[in-house]
Amino acid sequence: MDELVERVDGQDRVLGVVSRREAIRKGWLHRVAVTVCRDDRGRTLVHRRSEQVSRFPGLYEVEVGGATNVGESYEQAAERELAEELGIRALPRLLFTFINRSGLSPHWLGVHEAVVPDAVVPDPDEVAWHGWLTEPELGSALLAWRFTPDSHEAFCRYLARSSQS
């Protein structure tokens, strides 16, 4: 069964409920929530997607996340995804949203940040590998490894926002 998502407009207002597969196939805007996870030492969690996932198998990501369910806020989706993918409870903080046109189809992307314990227990069906990278290590990885389109776009915006703070 394909997951249901809310189709939204250019102002992020709900238009109706559709299957995620249909939203992607028809290029309809829908919502996705991701979280940049940092530990108490300032390192960033990076993971490689399992080869079994349907979207971008084997690619690396700087964020953890997924589509928001019907009736779910960006924050609720981000919190749920952290529990599902990393086995942790955390309260991610929404930093910004934007229409992301990279990846499979356009979507509203809610980018969050959370400080999480470094002892995460990733779901092996979702995550094949994970590691905590310092800023210089992450900079090198972003140039050398194959990351999902969302990771590049969202993380560049995240870094730009962080440098303004």
Side-chain angles (χ1 to χ4, degrees):
M1 175 75 182
D2 192 23
E3 62 189 315
L4 296 178
V5 297
E6 292 172 331
R7 180 181 176 195
V8 295
D9 65 14
Q11 284 70 51
D12 202 9
R13 295 179 299 222
V14 177
L15 300 173
V17 175
V18 298
S19 76
R20 186 169 187 203
R21 182 175 291 125
E22 182 179 27
I24 290 170
R25 186 171 39 84
K26 293 189 175 177
W28 291 338
L29 289 172
H30 56 288
R31 296 177 179 145
V32 174
V34 297
T35 302
V36 175
C37 297
R38 297 199 179 262
D39 67 7
D40 58 4
R41 295 189 289 186
R43 297 178 302 171
T44 303
L45 179 69
V46 175
H47 70 278
R48 185 169 45 81
R49 296 171 63 84
S50 164
E51 294 293 337
Q52 285 70 43
V53 295
S54 61
R55 296 172 183 95
F56 304 112
L59 297 188
Y60 289 88
E61 286 193 295
V62 181
E63 303 91 12
V64 174
T68 62
N69 290 332
V70 174
E72 195 174 43
S73 69
Y74 285 109
E75 293 90 343
Q76 290 167 329
E79 184 177 358
R80 175 182 49 77
E81 290 288 341
L82 286 174
E84 289 175 4
E85 293 188 23
L86 300 180
I88 59 169
R89 296 273 176 226
L91 294 174
R93 181 173 60 102
L94 180 63
L95 301 176
F96 57 92
T97 61
F98 69 98
I99 296 177
N100 186 7
R101 299 196 184 280
S102 64
L104 297 176
S105 71
H107 54 276
W108 275 96
L109 190 62
V111 179
H112 302 75
E113 178 179 58
V115 175
V116 302
D118 57 3
V120 297
V121 183
D123 176 352
D125 291 335
E126 301 264 348
V127 177
W129 170 90
H130 74 283
W132 292 95
L133 302 183
T134 63
E135 222 171 277
E137 291 169 336
L138 180 55
S140 296
L142 285 167
L143 295 173
W145 302 351
R146 291 187 55 225
F147 281 81
T148 64
D150 279 2
S151 280
H152 275 290
E153 181 70 21
F155 197 66
C156 285
R157 289 176 184 245
Y158 171 82
L159 289 176
R161 181 182 168 92
S162 296
S163 68
Q164 295 171 354
S165 305

